[in-house]
Amino acid sequence: MSATLLGTTKALVEEFELALLDLDGVCYSGADPVVHATDSVMAAKGQGLRTCFVTNNASRTPAQVVAKLAGFGIEADEQQIYTAAMDAVALLAEHVPAPATVLVVGGAGVEQALTKAGYTTTHSALDNPAAVVQGYDPSVDWAAMSEAAYAITNGALHVATNLDSTLPTERGFALGNGSLVAAVVHATERQPLAAGKPFAGIYTRAIARSGGGKAIAVGDRLNTDHAGARQSSLPSLHVLTGVASARDVLLAPPQYRPTFLHTDLRGLLEPQPQPQRTAAGWQVGDAVAKVENGAVTLSFDGKNVELGGQSVTLSLNAYRAAAVAAWDLADQGQTLINLPDITVAETR
């Protein structure tokens, strides 16, 4: 799959059978809904797109995720949920079979995933667990991580549900599971097995759980959602409602690049214009981007804008054209100069 933007003449909802939707930063942010998420997901489902909500957040059980989505008006059932806790248990089973004793560092999501798979759970290293499964939960503290360190030092296998350094909340970015895992690794000097995104297994297992079909991944994080999609050879849609900004997208290395771009989940309901290389530069819809002396210059809506120094506001197609031009420049071994913060205007 090419590491640049692709186009579709039909809406993505018509091109794909299954959407693998991230949650935090895509459908909601902490206790708040993400703009346009509910209407877009429900409209896509109404047009026949199947959905699986694939999340690196291991703190909630599938039932709890369903309830949280319902609070925002998004309908789902437990079969449509695949969490990093479930993925970690699938990974654990490849190394330590049930009914082995496993020390839980995390909340109900990790505990339930283990017990459903037939494992015996404990919260004490004194029970000589064969493995430790560590996932994010607000209850995780010094005592819980110390029990993990005791067990791992004594030979237990360490499995992390994911390695996300941060977690988006309504107040900003809080510590993610990866930051807590790093503390245990620092204490034990042993690297864990890691589940979740960006590893291909979570998407492969989520697709299998959902009955297969032509799938697209949707997410806000380049180094997890989209890196995982690249590793899985899946097309992906990036949205600007979470972690990675438009500027981040323009600077993305090939292994992190999305296949399609939009501001939010309305992108599922729209065609994606095909980028074209022309004599004037990279053209996407009515926007053209060209690169001169390491800087990107854009023509759109009757104006010319250079991406350098000052923050800028771009149309959606100008953003797409700028991304293709920036990636093309990077692939030629050149670097963008003074790339500013970029705001992408609402499409309607």
Side-chain angles (χ1 to χ4, degrees):
M1 186 170 57
S2 175
T4 190
L5 289 187
L6 301 182
T8 63
T9 57
K10 297 186 291 187
L12 295 180
V13 69
E14 299 176 63
E15 290 283 348
F16 296 95
E17 299 168 296
L18 173 66
L20 305 172
L21 295 164
D22 186 43
L23 288 174
D24 293 295
V26 175
C27 295
Y28 51 70
S29 181
D32 296 332
V34 163
V35 63
H36 302 301
T38 297
D39 291 346
S40 298
V41 171
M42 295 309 296
K45 288 167 72 76
Q47 293 181 46
L49 184 69
R50 291 183 288 116
T51 55
C52 181
F53 297 91
V54 184
T55 176
N56 265 9
N57 189 329
S59 64
R60 297 184 182 91
T61 66
Q64 289 171 328
V65 174
V66 168
K68 181 159 185 172
L69 287 170
F72 300 125
I74 297 175
E75 297 173 5
D77 59 44
E78 291 187 40
Q79 189 62 29
Q80 294 173 291
I81 310 301
Y82 195 71
T83 71
M86 299 161 69
D87 198 50
V89 173
L91 179 60
L92 171 67
E94 296 175 4
H95 300 269
V96 178
T101 298
V102 179
L103 190 146
V104 176
V105 180
V110 174
E111 187 100 34
Q112 185 186 90
L114 284 164
T115 56
K116 277 197 167 186
Y119 289 94
T120 302
T121 61
T122 182
H123 293 269
S124 173
L126 294 174
D127 291 328
N128 297 315
V132 173
V133 175
Q134 182 175 2
Y136 165 79
D137 189 80
S139 67
V140 173
D141 58 11
W142 175 88
M145 290 193 291
S146 293
E147 290 299 319
Y150 297 143
I152 294 163
T153 300
N154 288 332
L157 178 69
H158 188 192
V159 180
T161 61
N162 68 86
L163 298 177
D164 288 358
S165 59
T166 61
L167 176 71
T169 74
E170 62 275 12
R171 292 177 56 192
F173 298 111
L175 290 176
N177 191 57
S179 296
L180 304 181
V181 168
V184 176
V185 169
H186 186 67
T188 63
E189 299 183 346
R190 297 187 186 180
Q191 293 297 322
L193 294 176
K197 309 169 202 175
F199 304 105
I202 191 168
Y203 282 136
T204 302
R205 296 181 188 107
I207 291 171
R209 179 178 174 83
S210 303
K214 186 179 180 182
I216 182 171
V218 184
D220 63 305
R221 284 181 181 262
L222 297 173
N223 64 346
T224 55
D225 302 320
H226 298 282
R230 285 274 167 202
Q231 289 198 37
S232 307
S233 298
L234 287 173
S236 63
L237 169 67
H238 181 266
V239 292
L240 293 170
T241 49
V243 172
S245 68
R247 184 179 186 276
D248 295 331
V249 169
L250 267 62
L251 294 173
Q255 67 270 24
Y256 289 178
R257 292 176 189 166
T259 321
F260 306 106
L261 299 177
H262 205 283
T263 53
D264 51 69
L265 286 178
R266 289 176 297 175
L268 289 172
L269 308 174
E270 300 173 6
Q272 302 283 321
Q274 177 69 50
Q276 303 286 341
R277 189 193 288 273
T278 70
W282 281 103
Q283 182 168 355
V284 179
D286 58 354
V288 178
K290 63 179 179 179
V291 179
E292 294 180 325
N293 300 319
V296 177
T297 300
L298 290 153
S299 300
F300 66 99
D301 295 344
K303 56 189 175 185
N304 296 318
V305 174
E306 181 175 320
L307 299 186
Q310 307 253 340
S311 61
V312 297
T313 298
L314 303 180
S315 69
L316 179 54
N317 280 340
Y319 163 49
R320 290 167 171 153
V324 179
W327 296 349
D328 186 41
L329 182 71
D331 291 346
Q332 296 176 41
Q334 300 181 57
T335 304
L336 284 173
I337 300 172
N338 297 325
L339 187 65
D341 290 332
I342 298 168
T343 299
V344 181
E346 283 275 333
T347 56
R348 59 177 180 271

mmCIF file of all heavy atoms in Angstrom, residues 256-275:
data_model
loop_
_atom_site.group_PDB
_atom_site.id
_atom_site.type_symbol
_atom_site.label_atom_id
_atom_site.label_comp_id
_atom_site.label_asym_id
_atom_site.label_seq_id
_atom_site.Cartn_x
_atom_site.Cartn_y
_atom_site.Cartn_z
ATOM 1 N N TYR A 256 3.824 5.978 9.451
ATOM 2 C CA TYR A 256 2.735 6.529 10.264
ATOM 3 C C TYR A 256 1.648 7.182 9.412
ATOM 4 O O TYR A 256 0.653 7.670 9.955
ATOM 5 C CB TYR A 256 3.268 7.609 11.213
ATOM 6 C CG TYR A 256 4.131 7.121 12.365
ATOM 7 C CD1 TYR A 256 4.682 8.048 13.253
ATOM 8 C CD2 TYR A 256 4.401 5.775 12.568
ATOM 9 C CE1 TYR A 256 5.479 7.634 14.320
ATOM 10 C CE2 TYR A 256 5.206 5.362 13.618
ATOM 11 C CZ TYR A 256 5.746 6.293 14.492
ATOM 12 O OH TYR A 256 6.531 5.877 15.540
ATOM 13 N N ARG A 257 1.804 7.232 8.119
ATOM 14 C CA ARG A 257 0.903 8.043 7.292
ATOM 15 C C ARG A 257 -0.465 7.401 7.088
ATOM 16 O O ARG A 257 -0.561 6.229 6.740
ATOM 17 C CB ARG A 257 1.547 8.303 5.925
ATOM 18 C CG ARG A 257 2.753 9.206 6.001
ATOM 19 C CD ARG A 257 3.416 9.347 4.637
ATOM 20 N NE ARG A 257 4.693 10.046 4.763
ATOM 21 C CZ ARG A 257 5.602 10.088 3.812
ATOM 22 N NH1 ARG A 257 5.385 9.472 2.652
ATOM 23 N NH2 ARG A 257 6.737 10.740 4.003
ATOM 24 N N PRO A 258 -1.527 8.194 7.274
ATOM 25 C CA PRO A 258 -2.875 7.702 6.962
ATOM 26 C C PRO A 258 -3.084 7.610 5.452
ATOM 27 O O PRO A 258 -2.326 8.185 4.660
ATOM 28 C CB PRO A 258 -3.792 8.780 7.561
ATOM 29 C CG PRO A 258 -2.907 9.668 8.375
ATOM 30 C CD PRO A 258 -1.534 9.543 7.819
ATOM 31 N N THR A 259 -4.140 6.917 5.067
ATOM 32 C CA THR A 259 -4.507 6.805 3.662
ATOM 33 C C THR A 259 -5.480 7.891 3.248
ATOM 34 O O THR A 259 -5.516 8.298 2.086
ATOM 35 C CB THR A 259 -5.156 5.435 3.398
ATOM 36 O OG1 THR A 259 -4.476 4.431 4.150
ATOM 37 C CG2 THR A 259 -5.103 5.069 1.931
ATOM 38 N N PHE A 260 -6.313 8.319 4.207
ATOM 39 C CA PHE A 260 -7.320 9.357 3.966
ATOM 40 C C PHE A 260 -7.282 10.359 5.116
ATOM 41 O O PHE A 260 -6.928 9.999 6.250
ATOM 42 C CB PHE A 260 -8.728 8.754 3.869
ATOM 43 C CG PHE A 260 -8.860 7.650 2.845
ATOM 44 C CD1 PHE A 260 -8.963 6.322 3.233
ATOM 45 C CD2 PHE A 260 -8.884 7.941 1.485
ATOM 46 C CE1 PHE A 260 -9.088 5.304 2.301
ATOM 47 C CE2 PHE A 260 -9.002 6.932 0.537
ATOM 48 C CZ PHE A 260 -9.106 5.609 0.948
ATOM 49 N N LEU A 261 -7.685 11.611 4.836
ATOM 50 C CA LEU A 261 -7.680 12.666 5.842
ATOM 51 C C LEU A 261 -9.026 13.366 5.911
ATOM 52 O O LEU A 261 -9.654 13.634 4.887
ATOM 53 C CB LEU A 261 -6.603 13.716 5.515
ATOM 54 C CG LEU A 261 -5.151 13.263 5.458
ATOM 55 C CD1 LEU A 261 -4.256 14.427 5.039
ATOM 56 C CD2 LEU A 261 -4.705 12.703 6.805
ATOM 57 N N HIS A 262 -9.433 13.685 7.142
ATOM 58 C CA HIS A 262 -10.611 14.528 7.362
ATOM 59 C C HIS A 262 -10.465 15.181 8.729
ATOM 60 O O HIS A 262 -9.601 14.799 9.527
ATOM 61 C CB HIS A 262 -11.909 13.715 7.293
ATOM 62 C CG HIS A 262 -13.113 14.529 6.927
ATOM 63 N ND1 HIS A 262 -13.759 15.351 7.821
ATOM 64 C CD2 HIS A 262 -13.783 14.675 5.755
ATOM 65 C CE1 HIS A 262 -14.773 15.944 7.225
ATOM 66 N NE2 HIS A 262 -14.801 15.562 5.962
ATOM 67 N N THR A 263 -11.317 16.151 9.000
ATOM 68 C CA THR A 263 -11.299 16.775 10.321
ATOM 69 C C THR A 263 -11.912 15.873 11.380
ATOM 70 O O THR A 263 -11.509 15.901 12.544
ATOM 71 C CB THR A 263 -12.059 18.108 10.296
ATOM 72 O OG1 THR A 263 -13.369 17.887 9.739
ATOM 73 C CG2 THR A 263 -11.326 19.149 9.475
ATOM 74 N N ASP A 264 -12.910 15.058 11.007
ATOM 75 C CA ASP A 264 -13.675 14.277 11.976
ATOM 76 C C ASP A 264 -14.333 13.103 11.264
ATOM 77 O O ASP A 264 -14.047 12.830 10.086
ATOM 78 C CB ASP A 264 -14.718 15.170 12.665
ATOM 79 C CG ASP A 264 -15.559 15.937 11.658
ATOM 80 O OD1 ASP A 264 -16.352 15.311 10.950
ATOM 81 O OD2 ASP A 264 -15.397 17.183 11.559
ATOM 82 N N LEU A 265 -15.239 12.416 11.953
ATOM 83 C CA LEU A 265 -15.828 11.191 11.411
ATOM 84 C C LEU A 265 -16.801 11.416 10.260
ATOM 85 O O LEU A 265 -17.259 10.445 9.648
ATOM 86 C CB LEU A 265 -16.512 10.401 12.532
ATOM 87 C CG LEU A 265 -15.566 9.676 13.484
ATOM 88 C CD1 LEU A 265 -16.351 8.961 14.580
ATOM 89 C CD2 LEU A 265 -14.680 8.682 12.738
ATOM 90 N N ARG A 266 -17.094 12.649 9.922
ATOM 91 C CA ARG A 266 -17.863 12.890 8.704
ATOM 92 C C ARG A 266 -17.128 12.376 7.481
ATOM 93 O O ARG A 266 -17.726 12.143 6.430
ATOM 94 C CB ARG A 266 -18.172 14.381 8.555
ATOM 95 C CG ARG A 266 -19.192 14.906 9.559
ATOM 96 C CD ARG A 266 -19.389 16.402 9.425
ATOM 97 N NE ARG A 266 -18.150 17.133 9.714
ATOM 98 C CZ ARG A 266 -18.020 18.441 9.570
ATOM 99 N NH1 ARG A 266 -19.008 19.168 9.110
ATOM 100 N NH2 ARG A 266 -16.856 19.027 9.878
ATOM 101 N N GLY A 267 -15.822 12.183 7.622
ATOM 102 C CA GLY A 267 -15.042 11.641 6.522
ATOM 103 C C GLY A 267 -15.511 10.278 6.051
ATOM 104 O O GLY A 267 -15.284 9.899 4.896
ATOM 105 N N LEU A 268 -16.174 9.506 6.939
ATOM 106 C CA LEU A 268 -16.712 8.209 6.528
ATOM 107 C C LEU A 268 -17.829 8.352 5.498
ATOM 108 O O LEU A 268 -18.080 7.432 4.715
ATOM 109 C CB LEU A 268 -17.256 7.455 7.747
ATOM 110 C CG LEU A 268 -16.238 6.905 8.739
ATOM 111 C CD1 LEU A 268 -16.953 6.363 9.971
ATOM 112 C CD2 LEU A 268 -15.383 5.812 8.087
ATOM 113 N N LEU A 269 -18.496 9.490 5.510
ATOM 114 C CA LEU A 269 -19.698 9.678 4.699
ATOM 115 C C LEU A 269 -19.430 10.397 3.392
ATOM 116 O O LEU A 269 -20.366 10.680 2.640
ATOM 117 C CB LEU A 269 -20.738 10.462 5.514
ATOM 118 C CG LEU A 269 -21.050 9.904 6.909
ATOM 119 C CD1 LEU A 269 -21.974 10.852 7.654
ATOM 120 C CD2 LEU A 269 -21.665 8.518 6.812
ATOM 121 N N GLU A 270 -18.168 10.693 3.115
ATOM 122 C CA GLU A 270 -17.823 11.511 1.952
ATOM 123 C C GLU A 270 -16.801 10.818 1.058
ATOM 124 O O GLU A 270 -15.984 10.032 1.538
ATOM 125 C CB GLU A 270 -17.237 12.851 2.414
ATOM 126 C CG GLU A 270 -18.175 13.666 3.279
ATOM 127 C CD GLU A 270 -17.501 14.901 3.858
ATOM 128 O OE1 GLU A 270 -16.334 15.166 3.473
ATOM 129 O OE2 GLU A 270 -18.124 15.584 4.681
ATOM 130 N N PRO A 271 -16.838 11.127 -0.254
ATOM 131 C CA PRO A 271 -15.750 10.680 -1.132
ATOM 132 C C PRO A 271 -14.455 11.361 -0.728
ATOM 133 O O PRO A 271 -14.461 12.388 -0.046
ATOM 134 C CB PRO A 271 -16.203 11.145 -2.526
ATOM 135 C CG PRO A 271 -17.654 11.441 -2.407
ATOM 136 C CD PRO A 271 -17.879 11.870 -0.983
ATOM 137 N N GLN A 272 -13.351 10.800 -1.155
ATOM 138 C CA GLN A 272 -12.035 11.364 -0.876
ATOM 139 C C GLN A 272 -11.382 11.715 -2.211
ATOM 140 O O GLN A 272 -11.060 10.810 -2.988
ATOM 141 C CB GLN A 272 -11.171 10.359 -0.119
ATOM 142 C CG GLN A 272 -11.783 9.889 1.187
ATOM 143 C CD GLN A 272 -11.655 10.911 2.294
ATOM 144 O OE1 GLN A 272 -10.631 11.564 2.415
ATOM 145 N NE2 GLN A 272 -12.683 11.037 3.100
ATOM 146 N N PRO A 273 -11.198 12.988 -2.531
ATOM 147 C CA PRO A 273 -10.642 13.348 -3.836
ATOM 148 C C PRO A 273 -9.239 12.788 -4.043
ATOM 149 O O PRO A 273 -8.420 12.798 -3.126
ATOM 150 C CB PRO A 273 -10.647 14.881 -3.812
ATOM 151 C CG PRO A 273 -10.719 15.255 -2.373
ATOM 152 C CD PRO A 273 -11.488 14.171 -1.691
ATOM 153 N N GLN A 274 -8.993 12.303 -5.240
ATOM 154 C CA GLN A 274 -7.704 11.709 -5.563
ATOM 155 C C GLN A 274 -6.656 12.787 -5.798
ATOM 156 O O GLN A 274 -6.839 13.665 -6.640
ATOM 157 C CB GLN A 274 -7.829 10.862 -6.838
ATOM 158 C CG GLN A 274 -6.533 10.237 -7.315
ATOM 159 C CD GLN A 274 -6.043 9.147 -6.376
ATOM 160 O OE1 GLN A 274 -6.799 8.256 -6.004
ATOM 161 N NE2 GLN A 274 -4.773 9.217 -6.002
ATOM 162 N N PRO A 275 -5.532 12.775 -5.067
ATOM 163 C CA PRO A 275 -4.452 13.732 -5.354
ATOM 164 C C PRO A 275 -3.881 13.515 -6.754
ATOM 165 O O PRO A 275 -3.705 12.366 -7.191
ATOM 166 C CB PRO A 275 -3.407 13.412 -4.281
ATOM 167 C CG PRO A 275 -4.174 12.721 -3.191
ATOM 168 C CD PRO A 275 -5.238 11.945 -3.881
#
